PDB file of all heavy atoms in Angstrom:
ATOM      1  N   ARG A 263      -6.039  -9.965 -64.736  1.00 92.00           N
ATOM      2  CA  ARG A 263      -6.458 -10.266 -66.108  1.00 92.00           C
ATOM      3  C   ARG A 263      -5.401  -9.783 -67.110  1.00 92.00           C
ATOM      4  O   ARG A 263      -5.017 -10.512 -68.027  1.00 92.00           O
ATOM      5  CB  ARG A 263      -7.812  -9.577 -66.380  1.00 92.00           C
ATOM      6  CG  ARG A 263      -8.419  -9.968 -67.684  1.00 92.00           C
ATOM      7  CD  ARG A 263      -9.741  -9.261 -67.894  1.00 92.00           C
ATOM      8  NE  ARG A 263      -9.882  -8.927 -69.300  1.00 92.00           N
ATOM      9  CZ  ARG A 263     -10.597  -7.912 -69.764  1.00 92.00           C
ATOM     10  NH1 ARG A 263     -11.233  -7.115 -68.937  1.00 92.00           N
ATOM     11  NH2 ARG A 263     -10.668  -7.697 -71.050  1.00 92.00           N
ATOM     12  N   ILE A 264      -4.906  -8.564 -66.896  1.00 93.00           N
ATOM     13  CA  ILE A 264      -3.887  -8.018 -67.793  1.00 93.00           C
ATOM     14  C   ILE A 264      -2.619  -8.878 -67.725  1.00 93.00           C
ATOM     15  O   ILE A 264      -2.026  -9.212 -68.757  1.00 93.00           O
ATOM     16  CB  ILE A 264      -3.576  -6.544 -67.425  1.00 93.00           C
ATOM     17  CG1 ILE A 264      -4.793  -5.672 -67.752  1.00 93.00           C
ATOM     18  CG2 ILE A 264      -2.331  -6.037 -68.137  1.00 93.00           C
ATOM     19  CD1 ILE A 264      -4.781  -4.308 -67.099  1.00 93.00           C
ATOM     20  N   ALA A 265      -2.236  -9.252 -66.501  1.00 94.00           N
ATOM     21  CA  ALA A 265      -1.032 -10.083 -66.337  1.00 94.00           C
ATOM     22  C   ALA A 265      -1.196 -11.402 -67.083  1.00 94.00           C
ATOM     23  O   ALA A 265      -0.287 -11.834 -67.808  1.00 94.00           O
ATOM     24  CB  ALA A 265      -0.775 -10.330 -64.852  1.00 94.00           C
ATOM     25  N   ALA A 266      -2.367 -12.040 -66.920  1.00 94.00           N
ATOM     26  CA  ALA A 266      -2.607 -13.338 -67.575  1.00 94.00           C
ATOM     27  C   ALA A 266      -2.544 -13.181 -69.093  1.00 94.00           C
ATOM     28  O   ALA A 266      -1.907 -13.981 -69.785  1.00 94.00           O
ATOM     29  CB  ALA A 266      -3.960 -13.890 -67.143  1.00 94.00           C
ATOM     30  N   GLU A 267      -3.172 -12.126 -69.631  1.00 94.00           N
ATOM     31  CA  GLU A 267      -3.191 -11.941 -71.090  1.00 94.00           C
ATOM     32  C   GLU A 267      -1.816 -11.570 -71.629  1.00 94.00           C
ATOM     33  O   GLU A 267      -1.485 -11.866 -72.774  1.00 94.00           O
ATOM     34  CB  GLU A 267      -4.229 -10.873 -71.479  1.00 94.00           C
ATOM     35  CG  GLU A 267      -5.649 -11.376 -71.259  1.00 94.00           C
ATOM     36  CD  GLU A 267      -6.692 -10.492 -71.912  1.00 94.00           C
ATOM     37  OE1 GLU A 267      -6.376  -9.795 -72.888  1.00 94.00           O
ATOM     38  OE2 GLU A 267      -7.845 -10.515 -71.432  1.00 94.00           O
ATOM     39  N   ALA A 268      -0.997 -10.913 -70.797  1.00 94.00           N
ATOM     40  CA  ALA A 268       0.343 -10.505 -71.252  1.00 94.00           C
ATOM     41  C   ALA A 268       1.391 -11.584 -70.980  1.00 94.00           C
ATOM     42  O   ALA A 268       2.552 -11.418 -71.341  1.00 94.00           O
ATOM     43  CB  ALA A 268       0.748  -9.205 -70.563  1.00 94.00           C
ATOM     44  N   GLY A 269       0.963 -12.667 -70.320  1.00 93.00           N
ATOM     45  CA  GLY A 269       1.914 -13.738 -70.003  1.00 93.00           C
ATOM     46  C   GLY A 269       2.880 -13.353 -68.890  1.00 93.00           C
ATOM     47  O   GLY A 269       4.001 -13.852 -68.817  1.00 93.00           O
ATOM     48  N   LEU A 270       2.456 -12.467 -68.008  1.00 92.00           N
ATOM     49  CA  LEU A 270       3.290 -12.053 -66.869  1.00 92.00           C
ATOM     50  C   LEU A 270       2.569 -12.399 -65.567  1.00 92.00           C
ATOM     51  O   LEU A 270       1.374 -12.676 -65.575  1.00 92.00           O
ATOM     52  CB  LEU A 270       3.549 -10.543 -66.921  1.00 92.00           C
ATOM     53  CG  LEU A 270       4.335 -10.016 -68.133  1.00 92.00           C
ATOM     54  CD1 LEU A 270       4.206  -8.505 -68.238  1.00 92.00           C
ATOM     55  CD2 LEU A 270       5.802 -10.417 -68.043  1.00 92.00           C
ATOM     56  N   THR A 271       3.288 -12.364 -64.461  1.00 88.00           N
ATOM     57  CA  THR A 271       2.626 -12.565 -63.165  1.00 88.00           C
ATOM     58  C   THR A 271       2.745 -11.282 -62.345  1.00 88.00           C
ATOM     59  O   THR A 271       3.652 -10.486 -62.562  1.00 88.00           O
ATOM     60  CB  THR A 271       3.283 -13.721 -62.358  1.00 88.00           C
ATOM     61  OG1 THR A 271       4.680 -13.493 -62.353  1.00 88.00           O
ATOM     62  CG2 THR A 271       2.961 -15.071 -62.953  1.00 88.00           C
ATOM     63  N   LEU A 272       1.813 -11.123 -61.415  1.00 94.00           N
ATOM     64  CA  LEU A 272       1.877  -9.939 -60.547  1.00 94.00           C
ATOM     65  C   LEU A 272       3.134 -10.033 -59.683  1.00 94.00           C
ATOM     66  O   LEU A 272       3.410 -11.062 -59.078  1.00 94.00           O
ATOM     67  CB  LEU A 272       0.631  -9.851 -59.652  1.00 94.00           C
ATOM     68  CG  LEU A 272      -0.656  -9.400 -60.328  1.00 94.00           C
ATOM     69  CD1 LEU A 272      -1.791  -9.319 -59.304  1.00 94.00           C
ATOM     70  CD2 LEU A 272      -0.495  -8.055 -61.020  1.00 94.00           C
ATOM     71  N   ALA A 273       3.886  -8.945 -59.655  1.00 94.00           N
ATOM     72  CA  ALA A 273       5.208  -8.973 -59.011  1.00 94.00           C
ATOM     73  C   ALA A 273       5.218  -8.252 -57.666  1.00 94.00           C
ATOM     74  O   ALA A 273       6.273  -7.887 -57.170  1.00 94.00           O
ATOM     75  CB  ALA A 273       6.246  -8.366 -59.949  1.00 94.00           C
ATOM     76  N   GLY A 274       4.058  -8.060 -57.061  1.00 95.00           N
ATOM     77  CA  GLY A 274       4.013  -7.394 -55.759  1.00 95.00           C
ATOM     78  C   GLY A 274       3.015  -6.254 -55.755  1.00 95.00           C
ATOM     79  O   GLY A 274       2.322  -6.025 -56.746  1.00 95.00           O
ATOM     80  N   THR A 275       2.956  -5.565 -54.623  1.00 96.00           N
ATOM     81  CA  THR A 275       1.998  -4.469 -54.451  1.00 96.00           C
ATOM     82  C   THR A 275       2.748  -3.160 -54.237  1.00 96.00           C
ATOM     83  O   THR A 275       3.653  -3.087 -53.413  1.00 96.00           O
ATOM     84  CB  THR A 275       1.099  -4.745 -53.228  1.00 96.00           C
ATOM     85  OG1 THR A 275       0.361  -5.947 -53.475  1.00 96.00           O
ATOM     86  CG2 THR A 275       0.119  -3.608 -52.987  1.00 96.00           C
TER      87      THR A 275
END
Side-chain angles (χ1 to χ4, degrees):
R263 188 180 144 207
I264 292 164
E267 290 193 25
L270 297 165
T271 50
L272 285 182
T275 298

